[in-house]
Amino acid sequence: MNRETSDTTLANGLRVVVVRTPGAPLAEVRLVLPYARTAPHLAEAHELLAACLGTGTAAGPARAARTRQDVADHTADLGAELSTVVTAESLVMAASVLAPGLPGVLSLLTDLLLHPAYRDRELALARRRTAPFPRVPGPRQRLRGALLGHAFGAHPLVDAPTAPATATTTEDLHALHARAVVPDGAVLLVTTSDRPDEVSGRVRELLGSWSGGPSGLVLPPFARRAPRPGRVALTAPAGSPGAGQALVLCAAPAVPVGHPAHAPLHLAQSILGGSASSRLARRIRDRHGLAYAVSADLRGNRAGDWLEIACAGAPGTAGRIADEITRLLEETAGEGFSREEVERARAYASGFTRFALATRTEEASALAGFAAAGLPLDWLATYRNRLAEVTHRQVAEAAGFFFDPARAAVATSDDTGPADATPQDHAPDRHAPEHDPHHDQAQHEENDRWTP
């Protein structure tokens, strides 16, 4: 990055990144902790800890205990806002504060991390605000689990959360905190108008004694790097949750953002289903009137990467929608795109990357995400340059490889058919060849070799 930056790793494993933003009235703080739900029975504890973290601190020899109200009052006095967000693989503690209040926010964050108080009252409140366990997955969540399970095999992203053997207690939350809220493997990012070395020194003084980790709460990789092709069908009896609509999800191959093929694939994905005027929308929604929601997105995390196509339509249309998606993928893989389509997608994608850094708050979140993923802080700026360099031929080659329907898995959910709501693998058709035990390894090798 062009701006003054400090990037150090403390002895306890905490990576501290400080980016100077001269003249900015606000400082931003993001602490990213690995927090994947690696075991279904831990789902309730994971959710309750995230809801209770930051609601109080314990008393000590030289400090008073803080209640939720105490924390809220102190945060307001500092001119700050605190929040906690949980993703599929991370727990993020975020703070926005008026620049003079940054030292106070860092001190408060330290107290919350090192001296947490999980009180019965806060646990009871958090439990009332969450749905009971075991949680019944919604129709889209259930379909995505069936799709990913078929495409990539058994994995924590596929396993449905289950209720613990006994109700989660405050002691359980303290134990999970000791395991999960640890410095080794975590990233703390600060954007501030102060000098980065001064802020890094302050963090070292406050959090140098923080210990523990790594937590091990990291998503394992999928058993397969490329989806196993084929179709999976779910049926739901009339009147059940999710009945009354048809859902279709498709998983096709993709590559990580650092792969040379990612930028061409990104442009191809944008043309296929990345906007209201995409090919998928024009064909499935506008021409045939089969779906009211159509999208194609690149998904990725530590487990793996895939292109996900999603459609929702009227009941009884899932099969037709899946057939249209398959035909469109086949046509696109064979014919590619026009130069006009590629240039429109390039302009759209480049503009979207600029929006991701439009505000200091968005920029801080993006930089923290890059750091946690092991990407350089200036990745987004260099990615715009990569998009500008992609040729029309490279986009066509990306479509030819990644959009081949013989490489894709398709899952459908409809409320027609038997009342048995369990996933059923369809008999292979011309788009879903019989599974070859050597297919996965061969496809992995082809993925590794392929560069548009």
Side-chain angles (χ1 to χ4, degrees):
M1 300 184 69
N2 295 329
R3 285 175 292 182
E4 186 180 356
T5 302
S6 170
D7 189 342
T8 59
T9 300
L10 306 186
N12 58 11
L14 175 65
R15 182 181 175 189
V16 181
V17 181
V18 184
V19 178
R20 191 175 191 187
T21 53
L26 293 178
E28 300 286 345
V29 179
R30 301 290 185 275
L31 175 66
V32 184
L33 300 158
Y35 202 65
R37 194 196 70 215
T38 53
H41 71 279
L42 291 178
E44 182 184 54
H46 273 65
E47 183 168 333
L48 291 174
L49 183 144
C52 295
L53 181 62
T55 61
T57 63
R63 64 181 185 277
R66 284 190 173 110
T67 65
R68 176 193 290 269
Q69 190 60 53
D70 294 331
V71 172
D73 290 343
H74 186 52
T75 301
D77 290 341
L78 293 170
E81 292 182 357
L82 295 178
S83 62
T84 301
V85 176
V86 177
T87 71
E89 52 187 344
S90 301
L91 185 152
V92 183
M93 297 186 71
S96 299
V97 60
L98 294 171
L102 177 60
V105 160
L106 293 175
S107 296
L108 176 59
L109 181 64
T110 299
D111 205 11
L112 294 170
L113 295 172
L114 273 58
H115 314 111
Y118 294 105
R119 300 184 173 94
D120 289 332
R121 179 179 178 181
E122 297 299 340
L123 176 56
L125 178 62
R127 183 173 282 116
R128 288 197 300 271
R129 289 176 173 174
T130 61
F133 277 80
R135 195 182 302 281
V136 178
R140 188 178 293 271
Q141 179 185 0
R142 183 169 162 270
L143 185 62
R144 179 172 284 114
L147 173 69
L148 296 181
H150 171 89
F152 298 110
H155 191 272
L157 285 179
V158 176
D159 298 334
T162 59
T166 59
T168 301
T169 65
T170 56
E171 289 75 17
D172 295 330
L173 296 188
H174 278 288
L176 181 57
H177 184 107
R179 176 190 175 186
V181 186
V182 290
D184 194 354
V187 174
L188 178 67
L189 180 129
V190 182
T191 61
T192 173
S193 57
D194 297 337
R195 293 184 58 84
D197 55 346
E198 295 176 355
V199 177
S200 293
R202 189 176 299 123
V203 171
R204 187 185 302 273
E205 292 175 4
L206 292 169
L207 293 174
S209 62
W210 188 19
S211 62
S215 68
L217 300 181
V218 176
L219 286 176
F222 286 136
R224 306 180 185 92
R225 281 178 288 173
R228 177 164 70 96
R231 285 200 182 183
V232 178
L234 274 65
T235 56
S240 65
Q245 65 176 338
L247 296 174
V248 180
L249 290 178
C250 174
V255 288
V257 294
H259 194 284
H262 186 271
L265 173 59
H266 183 183
L267 295 181
Q269 165 263 323
S270 180
I271 300 170
L272 178 70
S275 68
S277 60
S278 67
R279 285 194 174 189
L280 276 169
R282 294 201 309 269
R283 178 153 177 171
I284 296 175
R285 185 195 62 196
D286 300 341
R287 184 191 304 176
H288 296 295
L290 291 173
Y292 50 81
V294 180
S295 65
D297 299 286
L298 294 175
R299 307 284 187 187
N301 49 43
R302 293 181 186 272
D305 300 89
W306 68 99
L307 168 68
E308 183 174 287
I309 298 171
C311 295
T317 62
R320 291 179 60 197
I321 293 173
D323 289 342
E324 285 298 331
I325 291 174
T326 300
R327 279 191 283 269
L328 181 58
L329 287 174
E330 189 172 48
E331 293 169 8
T332 304
E335 300 170 4
F337 305 108
S338 69
R339 293 186 181 276
E340 182 181 2
E341 285 179 306
V342 172
E343 291 310 314
R344 283 202 305 266
R346 193 196 315 274
Y348 179 84
S350 181
F352 188 79
T353 61
R354 296 182 186 278
F355 286 136
L357 304 178
T359 67
R360 297 296 188 192
T361 298
E362 292 166 336
E363 180 185 40
S365 296
L367 295 180
F370 299 155
L375 297 170
L377 296 182
D378 63 349
W379 177 81
L380 205 56
T382 58
Y383 186 66
R384 284 197 294 268
N385 297 334
R386 176 72 182 113
L387 287 173
E389 296 168 355
V390 174
T391 66
H392 176 262
R393 178 179 177 180
Q394 287 174 320
V395 178
E397 290 175 347
F401 181 87
F402 294 105
F403 294 175
D404 181 353
R407 303 179 190 277
V410 180
T412 61
S413 176
D414 222 329
D415 63 352
T416 57
D420 174 16
T422 57
Q424 301 288 331
D425 282 1
H426 273 244
D429 57 23
R430 67 188 182 92
H431 299 302
E434 215 30 271
H435 181 56
D436 181 345
H438 303 294
H439 170 79
D440 292 334
Q441 181 61 34
Q443 196 167 46
H444 291 172
E445 293 172 356
E446 189 171 5
N447 251 342
D448 290 340
R449 291 196 306 268
W450 193 85
T451 304

